[in-house]
């Protein structure tokens, strides 16, 4: 397992291949809908939606904009037993999401759905900035590869409203990056 792939488990960061169009949850602030299940490319098993959130960028004073909605998908069967100690915890428990991030024994996906248009370089740099502190020394090459994969997928354009970015942790040792359901690359 690499530090890079585990740090992306709870990246608040291309829709992966959908297995259904049933919406399980709507993120309340952005009104972005999230499907109840997703599947990692190259696998047959579906992951279930565990929760949603929103990334808000503060501007000046009280002004802020919603940038993207976030959905976290996990292997429900694998997670159930290991996280049973959190049963009855308040929704949005930081301890629960910290445990999800730390446990690398099950597949997970972080799905970002853009709520507004953002330039490719701006988005990629912001995602890299948020990830970098979670990476250990010697991870510069993986971080650059992550940025290159995203920039190549965006082809120098923009991340338009509705564009989807999927970050899937598979087998605890690789990150699969997708944009609008199309696999862009793997980072190990």
């Amino acid at each position: 397992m690499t530090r890079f792939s585990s740090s992306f488990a709870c990246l608040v960061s291309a829709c992966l291949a959908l297995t259904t169009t049933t919406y399980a949850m709507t993120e309340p602030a952005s009104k972005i809908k999230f499907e109840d299940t997703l599947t990692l490319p190259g696998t047959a098993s579906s992951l279930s939606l565990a929760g949603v959130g929103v990334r808000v960028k503060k501007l000046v004073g009280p002004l802020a904009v919603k940038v993207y909605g976030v959905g976290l998908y996990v292997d429900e069967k694998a997670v159930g037993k290991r996280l049973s100690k959190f049963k009855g915890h308040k929704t949005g428990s930081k301890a629960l999401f910290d445990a999800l991030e730390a446990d690398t024994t099950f597949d997970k996906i972080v799905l970002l759905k853009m709520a507004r248009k953002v330039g490719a370089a701006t988005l990629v740099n912001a995602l890299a900035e948020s990830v970098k502190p979670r990476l250990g020394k010697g991870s510069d090459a993986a971080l650059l590869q992550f940025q290159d994969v995203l920039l190549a997928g965006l082809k120098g354009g923009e991340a338009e409203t509705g564009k989807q970015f999927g970050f899937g942790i598979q087998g605890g040792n690789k990150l699969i990056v997708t944009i609008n359901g199309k696999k862009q690359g793997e980072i190990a």
Side-chain angles (χ1 to χ4, degrees):
M1 202 217 64
T2 66
R3 294 178 297 217
F4 187 76
S5 62
S6 67
S7 69
F8 272 91
C10 283
L11 174 73
V12 174
S13 69
C15 180
L16 300 174
L18 298 178
T19 58
T20 179
T21 55
T22 302
Y23 295 109
M25 201 175 297
T26 299
E27 193 289 311
S30 65
K31 307 292 187 236
I32 294 174
K33 295 178 180 183
F34 287 86
E35 297 77 11
D36 58 352
T37 60
L38 291 178
T39 302
L40 281 165
T43 66
S45 61
S46 293
L47 303 182
S48 300
L49 182 63
V52 297
V54 65
R55 164 67 167 105
V56 175
K57 172 74 173 167
K58 292 199 176 220
L59 300 174
V60 178
L63 296 177
V65 294
K66 296 167 194 82
V67 182
Y68 51 79
V70 181
L72 175 64
Y73 293 81
V74 298
D75 180 340
E76 194 172 2
K77 292 175 187 168
V79 169
K81 187 175 179 182
R82 285 190 278 292
L83 299 179
S84 62
K85 66 182 177 182
F86 292 100
K87 188 173 184 176
H89 273 230
K90 174 178 115 173
T91 301
S93 164
K94 181 172 176 359
L96 169 62
F97 284 96
D98 287 347
L100 285 170
E101 179 178 20
D103 192 333
T104 60
T105 60
F106 56 87
D107 293 345
K108 45 196 124 177
I109 299 169
V110 174
L111 181 66
L112 307 183
K113 291 186 173 189
M114 298 303 295
R116 64 181 311 103
K117 182 170 63 172
V118 177
T122 301
L123 178 66
V124 171
N125 289 336
L127 291 174
E129 235 178 79
S130 75
V131 170
K132 189 173 184 174
R134 296 175 180 90
L135 300 176
K137 292 182 181 182
S139 301
D140 290 345
L143 187 60
L144 286 173
Q145 183 184 6
F146 170 71
Q147 290 174 287
D148 289 345
V149 165
L150 285 172
L151 286 171
L154 289 168
K155 296 175 179 59
E158 297 177 328
E160 302 90 4
T161 301
K163 189 162 279 206
Q164 300 179 25
F165 297 85
F167 303 97
I169 305 298
Q170 187 176 35
N173 64 1
K174 69 178 168 180
L175 174 71
I176 299 170
V177 178
T178 65
I179 298 177
N180 286 342
K182 184 178 177 194
K183 185 175 175 180
Q184 300 300 310
E186 293 182 14
I187 301 153

